[in-house]
Amino acid sequence: MEVKKHKGSEEMSNNEGVIYRISGPVVTATGIDARMYEVVRVGHEKLMGEVIEIHGEQSVIQVYEDTSGIRPGEPVFSTGQTLSVQLGPGLLTQIYDGIQRPLQTLEEVMGVFITRGVDADGLDLEKKWEFEATASVGDEVSGGQVIGTVQETDTITHKIMVPPKASGKIKSLESGEFNVTQTVCTLDDGTEIQMMQEWPVRHPRPFNQKYAPDTPLVTGMRILDFLFPLAKGGAAGIPGPFGSGKTVTQQSLAKYSDAQIVVYIGCGERGNEMTEVLDEFPHLIDPNTGKPLMNRTVMIANTSNMPVAAREASVYTGITIAEYFRDQGYDVALMADSTSRWAEAMREISSRLEEMPGEEGYPAYLSSRLAEFYERAGRVETLNGDDGSVTVIGAVSPPGGDISEPVSQGTLRIVKVFWGLDAGLARQRHFPAINWLNSYSLYPQSLNQWFRDNIASDFPEVRTEISALLKVEAELQEIVQLVGSDALPMDQQLTLEVARMIRVYFLQQNGFDPVDAYSGVEQQYAMARAILTFQEEAKKAMAAGAVLEDVVNVPARIELMRARFAEGYLEKIEGLVEEMVNQIGNSVEAQ
Amino acid sequence: MTSKEYKTITDIKGPLVFLEKTEPVAYGEIVTIRLSDGSTKNGQVLDTSDDMVVVQVFEGTEGIDRRAGVKFLGDVFKLPVSKGLVGRILDGAGRPRDGGPDIVADEKADIIGAAINPYSRQSPHDFIQTGVSAIDCCTTLVRGQKLPIFSASGLPHNDIALQIARQAKLKDSDEEFIVVFCAMGITAEEYNFFRADLERTGALENAVLFVNLADDPAVERLITPRLALTAAEYLAFEHDYHVLVIYTDMTNYCDSLRQIGAAREEVPGRRGYPGYMYTDLAMLYERAGIVKGKKGSITQFPILTMPGDDITHPIPDLSGYITEGQIVISRELHQAGIYPPINVLPSLSRLMGGCIGEETTRDDHKKISDQMYAAYAQGRELRGLVAIVGEDALNERDLQYLKFSDIFEDKFVRQGRDEDRTIDGTLNLCWELLANIDTKYLERLDDELISKYHPNEKKE
Ligand SMILES: Nc1ncnc2c1ncn2[C@@H]1O[C@H](COP(=O)(O)OP(=O)(O)O)[C@@H](O)[C@H]1O
Ligand SMILES: [Mg+2]
């Protein structure tokens, strides 16, 4: 079947201009009547580009592929379309570049190196899917309403929706085998609906209304869920210098968080890190569904050495795909590693445009672009009336680790969760190297009810106690630095031991440990409780004459801490704590 | 191809020449400039339009005047490649420097290099034994990795790089590396040192050298590493070689980049370096790796000197954001007379996790290296405390850790310039040294490993 190819199909209208200037990824053309953000084809090789500025006769174009060898005078064609993605069954398990070209297809066409001038559809247009109609002929439908489903992977049912702008009465609707460009439904007014929709990436997709978040995105990382929780539909920033754990944290979130769909954007980072995800995810099991993780994942990889303009676009491509799944009523989590590389792409393009620079050479619109991006996160009522959410977690790579720079600051002004990675902790191999003293989450208030209802009625109080202990420790440490710990009174020495237990046993969590990398919230609570129990019992014992050293070294406490590396820990905690309490009691008698 | 010569230079500024009234010139096109004394220089188009063309001149603009003739060669920069590259010494622009004939090209390869499709990469996982304990145990090098040396002026990074080049091998394999060496703005003395060492060990016959020295044109340095990597890619992916690319000094490269940026009056980023330096460096460093369906590999060992010993300077900072770890050389250890003065604490190999363990190195590698690291880190921290409160304030545990940190530097880090330790030897040494600490304080080791390897607890 002859199919319309969305990115390469444009009629070569009279709308053709010529190249006037080429400066790296920025090309200026004259004689072309293009609109802002319209996709154009540049040069004899028809490289893909996007109009980003218009002055009089001249259109300035950012080109998504390498421009070496292109000359002034070569033609430029307008397409009449804005940069869009193809949405429909076939997105899951895919890995795309920044402009939604499947990397697998590129490999088939070009081999292992990415050359240029190749188009590729985001979806497989030939593949047949089993479409099951869920609406009926005669129903009045409008944009965003679900008319049928496709079982896309084992775990994910893809909902086929009326495109946002269409509405009317269903004239025909058929279940059966279709590819994504075949019409499955027609409306009264003749509108034909296919399983594939296209959506311009720079426009947020519509919804009915935004809700305040009230459910946590459970990540299985203790320091995150317990101390600095992120809400489904919220946004978080993870700044940190190189080597502090941004990527490992993002990958852990992609593996273990209880989102139903994960969109992972490797934006201007390492090629091998994407390869690692590709190697690993098909073999990893989602702890929430028991199915391979790949089934719920879409990846975008525009690595540091791939064209910067496509890097700039990658973030939009990703968030549009995320919104599309949100519109189907799913909880989607999007990770962008790293948003700083996206901002740098903006800076690079802006500097080629000779725009007036703002701080550190970034364009003056940097903070508004960051805000617009994070604003696309949220928990919403979809056009279909369902609940859906997009949670965004952006890594930030501040130069020299100093977060006073514009991208970190612009991010922190918007996001409600700040997970601050710390080079010092990473250097001590304390992982995740999230600094518990300066990180924060503004969500606990809205999530407390959930934690009380689903985990324990005193969950927020336990959290407060744990974080208070960590604060006290930080103050005591300052004194220890001056006089040594032996000079402290016994009760303060105990506090230091308890805080040490919090750090080593609770906060530290090796992202590569086969068991401990994921810790359910119930287990987190039980562990926190165990620490507080230790504190209480130790106090009692010491008041009755026990020696701190003996109390700390009771074998059952060591065992309690070690046992977390073996399966089935949650069930064992109670028994282990009981044993610990006994042994601490005995340490009094031993006196 | 245009072979017409233009005499339409309007401006000359720093390393840049501006011309007008040309026929359409391609972005990135190669240019030759004929000076009035008959000599020629080479350059490349940085910006092109109907009205104006900007050319960056590799050899600098000295001696160019407005009467100079400019020819556009119709193509982007390409390196003639063939197996005949092996054993040759070329200059920073790819011309023979060893008095030998021109390279007879099998093909001409674009030196910018295309990005490897992330889907087509293969995760590196083969352990490389460098024979240097601090690296093999704590910052393990993997075949296909890009692992820079972060050093500073006056430190023995060259000796370390050469020692690694000499000793690097896969465990239980005689597959060898060939070295592609790329000099950017280093002194003749440094270069001779490298060359003599490669000659001494016979590696030179199997190496390709690209040499741009301190008194060679600065702008040329922007293409030298691209030539070296193009040669490396050809040898690795067309001829199945395992290539070790050593390039030094990245700091000189970045300074040339800054010079071009300044001449173009670009808005500078941090410390005057261009805002696109991250992307530019990535286009070098990311040319390391292994790809599906090819036998060869490219391992990169860039050397950079940190200005002012400052790891947050943009050159090490941006490099660290791209490379797969770093080996940090310490002035403090060097001054204490320790060779190789590698500080394992800020050093990191991001690929280590996937290449150590029972099947590749030894079952105890992961845990023993964690323990060595942790013990050393604690000991070092205690040195600071002891300076204030004295040793008396330390408990038994801390005292042992404190002592261990000296032993670690003296016995583990320190080794001879020609001392090639096997991985087994290195790991055994770890156990021997850790025996200086009570086992009850070795929290990262489990009983099973202790009874298998600990010299005092071993059950034979
Ligand atoms: N949660 C973690 N658990 C174990 N190791 C970690 C963790 N986070 C980071 N690391 C270690 O730190 C290294 C660097 O982490 P990475 O996430 O790549 O840093 P970044 O992305 O900030 O540069 C990793 O290779 C790993 O060795
Ligand atoms: Mg990272």
Side-chain angles (χ1 to χ4, degrees), chain B residues 268-286:
Chain B
R270 270 206 321 150
R271 308 225 190 156
Y273 293 94
Y276 48 80
M277 192 157 91
Y278 174 82
T279 306
D280 190 279
L281 288 174
M283 292 183 66
L284 302 178
Y285 294 141
E286 279 286 318

PDB file of all heavy atoms in Angstrom, chain B residues 268-286:
ATOM      1  N   PRO B 268      31.077  34.673  24.842  1.00  0.00           N
ATOM      2  CA  PRO B 268      31.803  33.597  25.510  1.00  0.00           C
ATOM      3  C   PRO B 268      30.997  32.968  26.635  1.00  0.00           C
ATOM      4  O   PRO B 268      30.130  33.606  27.226  1.00  0.00           O
ATOM      5  CB  PRO B 268      33.030  34.311  26.075  1.00  0.00           C
ATOM      6  CG  PRO B 268      32.621  35.730  26.223  1.00  0.00           C
ATOM      7  CD  PRO B 268      31.526  36.001  25.240  1.00  0.00           C
ATOM      8  N   GLY B 269      31.284  31.695  26.912  1.00  0.00           N
ATOM      9  CA  GLY B 269      30.703  31.030  28.075  1.00  0.00           C
ATOM     10  C   GLY B 269      31.635  31.213  29.257  1.00  0.00           C
ATOM     11  O   GLY B 269      32.347  32.214  29.343  1.00  0.00           O
ATOM     12  N   ARG B 270      31.672  30.229  30.145  1.00  0.00           N
ATOM     13  CA  ARG B 270      32.503  30.368  31.334  1.00  0.00           C
ATOM     14  C   ARG B 270      33.978  30.524  31.003  1.00  0.00           C
ATOM     15  O   ARG B 270      34.505  29.822  30.153  1.00  0.00           O
ATOM     16  CB  ARG B 270      32.324  29.136  32.226  1.00  0.00           C
ATOM     17  CG  ARG B 270      31.183  29.320  33.220  1.00  0.00           C
ATOM     18  CD  ARG B 270      31.353  28.470  34.468  1.00  0.00           C
ATOM     19  NE  ARG B 270      31.880  27.138  34.188  1.00  0.00           N
ATOM     20  CZ  ARG B 270      32.622  26.446  35.041  1.00  0.00           C
ATOM     21  NH1 ARG B 270      32.938  26.947  36.218  1.00  0.00           N
ATOM     22  NH2 ARG B 270      33.044  25.243  34.734  1.00  0.00           N
ATOM     23  N   ARG B 271      34.640  31.408  31.690  1.00  0.00           N
ATOM     24  CA  ARG B 271      36.064  31.700  31.526  1.00  0.00           C
ATOM     25  C   ARG B 271      36.479  31.907  30.079  1.00  0.00           C
ATOM     26  O   ARG B 271      37.575  31.503  29.657  1.00  0.00           O
ATOM     27  CB  ARG B 271      36.926  30.583  32.115  1.00  0.00           C
ATOM     28  CG  ARG B 271      36.517  30.280  33.524  1.00  0.00           C
ATOM     29  CD  ARG B 271      37.687  30.143  34.428  1.00  0.00           C
ATOM     30  NE  ARG B 271      37.207  29.615  35.693  1.00  0.00           N
ATOM     31  CZ  ARG B 271      37.940  28.952  36.561  1.00  0.00           C
ATOM     32  NH1 ARG B 271      39.212  28.738  36.305  1.00  0.00           N
ATOM     33  NH2 ARG B 271      37.427  28.518  37.672  1.00  0.00           N
ATOM     34  N   GLY B 272      35.587  32.451  29.293  1.00  0.00           N
ATOM     35  CA  GLY B 272      35.937  32.812  27.931  1.00  0.00           C
ATOM     36  C   GLY B 272      35.880  31.671  26.933  1.00  0.00           C
ATOM     37  O   GLY B 272      36.096  31.877  25.744  1.00  0.00           O
ATOM     38  N   TYR B 273      35.593  30.453  27.397  1.00  0.00           N
ATOM     39  CA  TYR B 273      35.499  29.340  26.445  1.00  0.00           C
ATOM     40  C   TYR B 273      34.139  29.384  25.766  1.00  0.00           C
ATOM     41  O   TYR B 273      33.150  29.791  26.375  1.00  0.00           O
ATOM     42  CB  TYR B 273      35.715  28.002  27.154  1.00  0.00           C
ATOM     43  CG  TYR B 273      37.126  27.859  27.660  1.00  0.00           C
ATOM     44  CD1 TYR B 273      37.453  28.213  28.957  1.00  0.00           C
ATOM     45  CD2 TYR B 273      38.143  27.425  26.810  1.00  0.00           C
ATOM     46  CE1 TYR B 273      38.759  28.124  29.421  1.00  0.00           C
ATOM     47  CE2 TYR B 273      39.441  27.335  27.263  1.00  0.00           C
ATOM     48  CZ  TYR B 273      39.754  27.687  28.572  1.00  0.00           C
ATOM     49  OH  TYR B 273      41.039  27.600  29.012  1.00  0.00           O
ATOM     50  N   PRO B 274      34.082  28.937  24.508  1.00  0.00           N
ATOM     51  CA  PRO B 274      32.806  29.057  23.795  1.00  0.00           C
ATOM     52  C   PRO B 274      31.707  28.208  24.423  1.00  0.00           C
ATOM     53  O   PRO B 274      31.972  27.157  25.003  1.00  0.00           O
ATOM     54  CB  PRO B 274      33.122  28.541  22.381  1.00  0.00           C
ATOM     55  CG  PRO B 274      34.544  28.208  22.338  1.00  0.00           C
ATOM     56  CD  PRO B 274      35.161  28.400  23.682  1.00  0.00           C
ATOM     57  N   GLY B 275      30.482  28.675  24.273  1.00  0.00           N
ATOM     58  CA  GLY B 275      29.326  27.976  24.817  1.00  0.00           C
ATOM     59  C   GLY B 275      29.152  26.589  24.233  1.00  0.00           C
ATOM     60  O   GLY B 275      28.554  25.724  24.850  1.00  0.00           O
ATOM     61  N   TYR B 276      29.710  26.357  23.035  1.00  0.00           N
ATOM     62  CA  TYR B 276      29.527  25.044  22.403  1.00  0.00           C
ATOM     63  C   TYR B 276      30.668  24.097  22.709  1.00  0.00           C
ATOM     64  O   TYR B 276      30.811  23.054  22.076  1.00  0.00           O
ATOM     65  CB  TYR B 276      29.366  25.192  20.878  1.00  0.00           C
ATOM     66  CG  TYR B 276      30.402  26.076  20.227  1.00  0.00           C
ATOM     67  CD1 TYR B 276      31.675  25.589  19.948  1.00  0.00           C
ATOM     68  CD2 TYR B 276      30.123  27.398  19.904  1.00  0.00           C
ATOM     69  CE1 TYR B 276      32.644  26.397  19.377  1.00  0.00           C
ATOM     70  CE2 TYR B 276      31.077  28.214  19.330  1.00  0.00           C
ATOM     71  CZ  TYR B 276      32.338  27.708  19.066  1.00  0.00           C
ATOM     72  OH  TYR B 276      33.295  28.505  18.505  1.00  0.00           O
ATOM     73  N   MET B 277      31.512  24.441  23.688  1.00  0.00           N
ATOM     74  CA  MET B 277      32.668  23.579  23.940  1.00  0.00           C
ATOM     75  C   MET B 277      32.246  22.177  24.376  1.00  0.00           C
ATOM     76  O   MET B 277      32.878  21.193  24.020  1.00  0.00           O
ATOM     77  CB  MET B 277      33.596  24.199  24.983  1.00  0.00           C
ATOM     78  CG  MET B 277      34.929  23.486  25.057  1.00  0.00           C
ATOM     79  SD  MET B 277      36.205  24.529  25.736  1.00  0.00           S
ATOM     80  CE  MET B 277      36.102  24.150  27.463  1.00  0.00           C
ATOM     81  N   TYR B 278      31.175  22.082  25.144  1.00  0.00           N
ATOM     82  CA  TYR B 278      30.694  20.753  25.553  1.00  0.00           C
ATOM     83  C   TYR B 278      30.419  19.884  24.327  1.00  0.00           C
ATOM     84  O   TYR B 278      30.876  18.750  24.225  1.00  0.00           O
ATOM     85  CB  TYR B 278      29.421  20.895  26.410  1.00  0.00           C
ATOM     86  CG  TYR B 278      28.762  19.591  26.755  1.00  0.00           C
ATOM     87  CD1 TYR B 278      29.209  18.821  27.813  1.00  0.00           C
ATOM     88  CD2 TYR B 278      27.694  19.103  25.999  1.00  0.00           C
ATOM     89  CE1 TYR B 278      28.609  17.604  28.135  1.00  0.00           C
ATOM     90  CE2 TYR B 278      27.098  17.892  26.300  1.00  0.00           C
ATOM     91  CZ  TYR B 278      27.557  17.151  27.380  1.00  0.00           C
ATOM     92  OH  TYR B 278      26.967  15.955  27.676  1.00  0.00           O
ATOM     93  N   THR B 279      29.658  20.433  23.380  1.00  0.00           N
ATOM     94  CA  THR B 279      29.310  19.668  22.186  1.00  0.00           C
ATOM     95  C   THR B 279      30.554  19.335  21.382  1.00  0.00           C
ATOM     96  O   THR B 279      30.725  18.221  20.885  1.00  0.00           O
ATOM     97  CB  THR B 279      28.339  20.487  21.313  1.00  0.00           C
ATOM     98  OG1 THR B 279      27.233  20.867  22.124  1.00  0.00           O
ATOM     99  CG2 THR B 279      27.851  19.692  20.127  1.00  0.00           C
ATOM    100  N   ASP B 280      31.439  20.308  21.288  1.00  0.00           N
ATOM    101  CA  ASP B 280      32.653  20.095  20.507  1.00  0.00           C
ATOM    102  C   ASP B 280      33.490  18.960  21.113  1.00  0.00           C
ATOM    103  O   ASP B 280      33.953  18.064  20.406  1.00  0.00           O
ATOM    104  CB  ASP B 280      33.439  21.412  20.459  1.00  0.00           C
ATOM    105  CG  ASP B 280      34.584  21.325  19.478  1.00  0.00           C
ATOM    106  OD1 ASP B 280      35.624  20.770  19.862  1.00  0.00           O
ATOM    107  OD2 ASP B 280      34.426  21.778  18.323  1.00  0.00           O
ATOM    108  N   LEU B 281      33.661  18.996  22.433  1.00  0.00           N
ATOM    109  CA  LEU B 281      34.437  17.937  23.087  1.00  0.00           C
ATOM    110  C   LEU B 281      33.736  16.586  22.950  1.00  0.00           C
ATOM    111  O   LEU B 281      34.376  15.555  22.752  1.00  0.00           O
ATOM    112  CB  LEU B 281      34.646  18.267  24.569  1.00  0.00           C
ATOM    113  CG  LEU B 281      35.619  19.404  24.864  1.00  0.00           C
ATOM    114  CD1 LEU B 281      35.633  19.720  26.353  1.00  0.00           C
ATOM    115  CD2 LEU B 281      37.030  19.034  24.398  1.00  0.00           C
ATOM    116  N   ALA B 282      32.406  16.613  23.051  1.00  0.00           N
ATOM    117  CA  ALA B 282      31.660  15.360  22.932  1.00  0.00           C
ATOM    118  C   ALA B 282      31.895  14.726  21.568  1.00  0.00           C
ATOM    119  O   ALA B 282      31.927  13.509  21.428  1.00  0.00           O
ATOM    120  CB  ALA B 282      30.176  15.609  23.153  1.00  0.00           C
ATOM    121  N   MET B 283      32.083  15.585  20.560  1.00  0.00           N
ATOM    122  CA  MET B 283      32.281  15.033  19.221  1.00  0.00           C
ATOM    123  C   MET B 283      33.652  14.376  19.080  1.00  0.00           C
ATOM    124  O   MET B 283      33.886  13.644  18.122  1.00  0.00           O
ATOM    125  CB  MET B 283      32.049  16.104  18.171  1.00  0.00           C
ATOM    126  CG  MET B 283      30.558  16.463  18.171  1.00  0.00           C
ATOM    127  SD  MET B 283      30.091  17.645  16.952  1.00  0.00           S
ATOM    128  CE  MET B 283      30.382  16.731  15.458  1.00  0.00           C
ATOM    129  N   LEU B 284      34.525  14.596  20.038  1.00  0.00           N
ATOM    130  CA  LEU B 284      35.777  13.830  20.083  1.00  0.00           C
ATOM    131  C   LEU B 284      35.614  12.611  20.996  1.00  0.00           C
ATOM    132  O   LEU B 284      35.824  11.474  20.590  1.00  0.00           O
ATOM    133  CB  LEU B 284      36.926  14.697  20.606  1.00  0.00           C
ATOM    134  CG  LEU B 284      37.226  15.984  19.838  1.00  0.00           C
ATOM    135  CD1 LEU B 284      38.366  16.737  20.524  1.00  0.00           C
ATOM    136  CD2 LEU B 284      37.621  15.666  18.404  1.00  0.00           C
ATOM    137  N   TYR B 285      35.230  12.884  22.235  1.00  0.00           N
ATOM    138  CA  TYR B 285      35.202  11.795  23.221  1.00  0.00           C
ATOM    139  C   TYR B 285      34.214  10.678  22.849  1.00  0.00           C
ATOM    140  O   TYR B 285      34.453   9.516  23.137  1.00  0.00           O
ATOM    141  CB  TYR B 285      34.812  12.343  24.596  1.00  0.00           C
ATOM    142  CG  TYR B 285      35.802  13.304  25.232  1.00  0.00           C
ATOM    143  CD1 TYR B 285      35.355  14.408  25.944  1.00  0.00           C
ATOM    144  CD2 TYR B 285      37.175  13.096  25.154  1.00  0.00           C
ATOM    145  CE1 TYR B 285      36.243  15.278  26.571  1.00  0.00           C
ATOM    146  CE2 TYR B 285      38.069  13.959  25.769  1.00  0.00           C
ATOM    147  CZ  TYR B 285      37.593  15.057  26.478  1.00  0.00           C
ATOM    148  OH  TYR B 285      38.463  15.908  27.099  1.00  0.00           O
ATOM    149  N   GLU B 286      33.103  11.065  22.241  1.00  0.00           N
ATOM    150  CA  GLU B 286      32.111  10.030  21.919  1.00  0.00           C
ATOM    151  C   GLU B 286      32.565   9.121  20.777  1.00  0.00           C
ATOM    152  O   GLU B 286      31.893   8.149  20.455  1.00  0.00           O
ATOM    153  CB  GLU B 286      30.751  10.650  21.588  1.00  0.00           C
ATOM    154  CG  GLU B 286      29.917  11.031  22.827  1.00  0.00           C
ATOM    155  CD  GLU B 286      29.309   9.833  23.567  1.00  0.00           C
ATOM    156  OE1 GLU B 286      28.820   8.907  22.919  1.00  0.00           O
ATOM    157  OE2 GLU B 286      29.334   9.849  24.812  1.00  0.00           O
TER     158      GLU B 286
END
